[in-house]
């Protein structure tokens, strides 16, 4: 957290300057993901897993091949793949993974996306999240169940589209629906001037060859992406505003959903109500 606070402070200090330093700092503000150490129980969970390391190409930031770490629990015939959100890691799903391990015949796979957790990378982005998800799918096979949280929801959907798989159950928890609006909120919190924000979006388009507005789940989503899709949200979520989620649900009524009041964006993956419902959904779908 210390580094992101330093970046935030420097952006505020340089916000009135018309120079490249501001643009470079904005990229760090948007794309630096703080890494938090494992707690004791999380480390014990990781110690019980079969570890693996895969690689993804990062042509945009490091211009290199990045290694990312993953973890497998169980050797059942039914696969569950978990994709974490921004500034998170696979072990943050400790409560859900522990509960999933009580279900027979499951193989549970989680990973740390590049720039997050134990994996390589200084800066990260949605494309690296999606590429990592694709790499896991191509290495270990199509999962029966895919679970994503926050940015991990969008990464899962991109990976499904890129690999052509069709999971039996797709579970989306407090999804990041509009990437551009999330970036704007982050920049506004650091008082980044409109002109500097515009330069950032122009540069994003040049680097990734697509505008940030493309990454809108309501537009990207295809109704036949999974046999069943279920979404969990908290209407008071400050990180993933409910009006965006509501737009996604209104435009794609095939998606089932449930609200978890007071769960919050970060803690919802630990919420006992959610975990109980996820276990029931998985048992009903794979049995």
């Amino acid at each position: 957290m210390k580094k992101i606070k330093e970046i935030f402070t420097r952006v505020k200090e340089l916000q009135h300057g018309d120079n490249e330093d501001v643009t470079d700092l904005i990229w760090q503000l948007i794309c630096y993901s703080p890494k938090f150490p494992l707690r004791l129980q999380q480390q014990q969970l990781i110690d019980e897993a079969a570890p693996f390391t895969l690689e993804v190409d990062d042509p945009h930031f490091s211009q290199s091949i990045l290694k990312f770490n993953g973890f497998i629990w169980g050797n059942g015939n039914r696969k569950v793949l978990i994709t974490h959100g921004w500034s998170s890691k696979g072990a943050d799903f400790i409560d859900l993974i522990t509960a999933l391990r009580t279900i027979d015949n499951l193989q549970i796979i989680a990973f740390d996306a590049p720039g997050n957790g134990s994996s390589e990378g200084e800066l990260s982005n949605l494309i690296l999240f999606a590429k990592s998800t694709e790499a896991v799918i191509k290495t270990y096979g199509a999962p029966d169940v895919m679970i994503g949280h926050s940015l991990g929801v969008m990464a899962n959907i991109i990976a499904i589209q890129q690999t052509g798989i069709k999971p039996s159950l797709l579970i989306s928890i407090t999804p990041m629906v509009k990437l551009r609006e999330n970036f704007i909120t982050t920049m506004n919190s650091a008082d980044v001037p409109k002109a500097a924000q515009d330069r950032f979006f122009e540069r994003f388009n040049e680097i990734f060859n697509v505008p940030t507005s493309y990454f809108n789940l309501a537009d990207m989503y295809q109704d036949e992406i999974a046999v069943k899709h279920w979404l969990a949200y908290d209407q008071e979520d400050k990180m993933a505003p409910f009006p965006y989620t509501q737009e996604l649900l209104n435009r794609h009524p095939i998606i089932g959903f449930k609200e978890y009041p007071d769960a919050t964006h970060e803690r919802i993956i630990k919420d006992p109500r959610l975990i109980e419902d996820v276990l029931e959904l998985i048992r009903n779908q794979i049995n």
Side-chain angles (χ1 to χ4, degrees):
M1 287 298 292
K2 181 179 179 181
K3 180 168 181 177
I4 194 65
K5 289 179 180 177
E6 291 175 350
I7 295 170
F8 188 88
T9 300
R10 290 176 63 197
V11 170
K12 276 181 168 286
E13 290 173 348
L14 295 174
Q15 63 177 294
H16 300 296
D18 186 15
N19 54 59
E20 284 302 314
D21 288 340
V22 178
T23 303
D24 291 343
L25 280 173
I26 292 173
W27 279 101
Q28 294 181 48
L29 178 70
I30 296 293
C31 298
Y32 174 76
S33 177
K35 296 183 177 182
F36 300 93
L38 292 169
R39 302 192 307 273
L40 176 60
Q41 289 147 327
Q42 291 178 326
Q43 184 62 63
Q44 291 171 340
L45 178 72
I46 294 300
D47 290 343
E48 294 171 359
F52 65 85
T53 300
L54 297 175
E55 297 180 341
V56 292
D57 181 25
D58 175 24
H60 304 112
F61 291 158
S62 67
Q63 288 86 48
S64 66
I65 300 297
L66 296 177
K67 295 180 180 179
F68 71 96
N69 299 318
F71 319 94
I72 300 175
W73 296 268
N75 54 8
N77 294 325
R78 300 287 194 158
K79 291 183 176 64
V80 177
L81 174 58
I82 300 174
T83 307
H84 66 78
W86 188 255
S87 188
S88 185
K89 53 189 177 294
D92 287 341
F93 284 86
I94 179 172
D95 300 87
L96 179 57
I97 291 170
T98 299
L100 288 172
R101 294 177 73 186
T102 66
I103 300 178
D104 293 334
N105 200 32
L106 279 191
Q107 182 184 71
I108 305 155
I109 306 175
F111 63 90
D112 297 345
N116 292 260
S118 62
S119 295
E120 293 182 347
E122 178 69 14
L123 301 180
S124 192
N125 57 63
L126 170 62
I127 303 302
L128 288 175
F129 272 64
K131 281 184 175 181
S132 300
T133 308
E134 291 174 39
V136 173
I137 292 170
K138 291 175 181 177
T139 303
Y140 293 101
D144 300 275
V145 179
M146 294 182 70
I147 301 173
H149 174 230
S150 191
L151 189 71
V153 173
M154 193 175 288
N156 276 351
I157 289 174
I158 292 173
I160 290 171
Q161 292 172 339
Q162 291 296 316
T163 58
I165 66 169
K166 187 172 184 176
S168 298
L169 177 61
L170 177 63
I171 296 176
S172 299
I173 305 170
T174 55
M176 186 70 65
V177 177
K178 295 187 176 184
L179 194 65
R180 179 184 177 87
E181 282 71 12
N182 177 263
F183 288 171
I184 291 172
T185 297
T186 300
M187 288 188 283
N188 285 343
S189 70
D191 299 327
V192 176
K194 178 66 163 55
Q197 294 190 27
D198 290 342
R199 286 197 297 273
F200 168 79
F201 286 123
E202 289 172 2
R203 185 62 180 147
F204 185 100
N205 197 349
E206 292 171 1
I207 292 175
F208 292 95
N209 200 31
V210 64
T212 51
S213 57
Y214 171 80
F215 298 103
N216 179 340
L217 278 186
D219 295 334
M220 297 169 58
Y221 187 76
Q222 300 169 356
D223 285 342
E224 301 303 319
I225 204 167
V227 175
K228 181 175 183 177
H229 186 186
W230 181 86
L231 185 151
Y233 69 94
D234 177 355
Q235 192 161 331
E236 300 302 319
D237 192 333
K238 305 303 181 185
M239 297 296 295
F242 178 68
Y244 303 157
T245 303
Q246 186 69 71
E247 178 186 353
L248 171 66
L249 296 174
N250 287 343
R251 290 177 56 182
H252 302 280
I254 194 171
I255 303 173
F257 58 88
K258 183 174 179 178
E259 181 184 4
Y260 293 84
D262 303 316
T264 76
H265 189 79
E266 298 84 3
R267 294 197 301 271
I268 191 170
I269 61 173
K270 305 175 184 297
D271 193 299
R273 299 168 297 177
L274 174 83
I275 292 173
E276 182 180 351
D277 289 341
V278 167
L279 261 62
E280 182 178 1
L281 281 164
I282 291 176
R283 288 191 180 104
N284 291 339
Q285 197 69 23
I286 68 175
N287 290 335

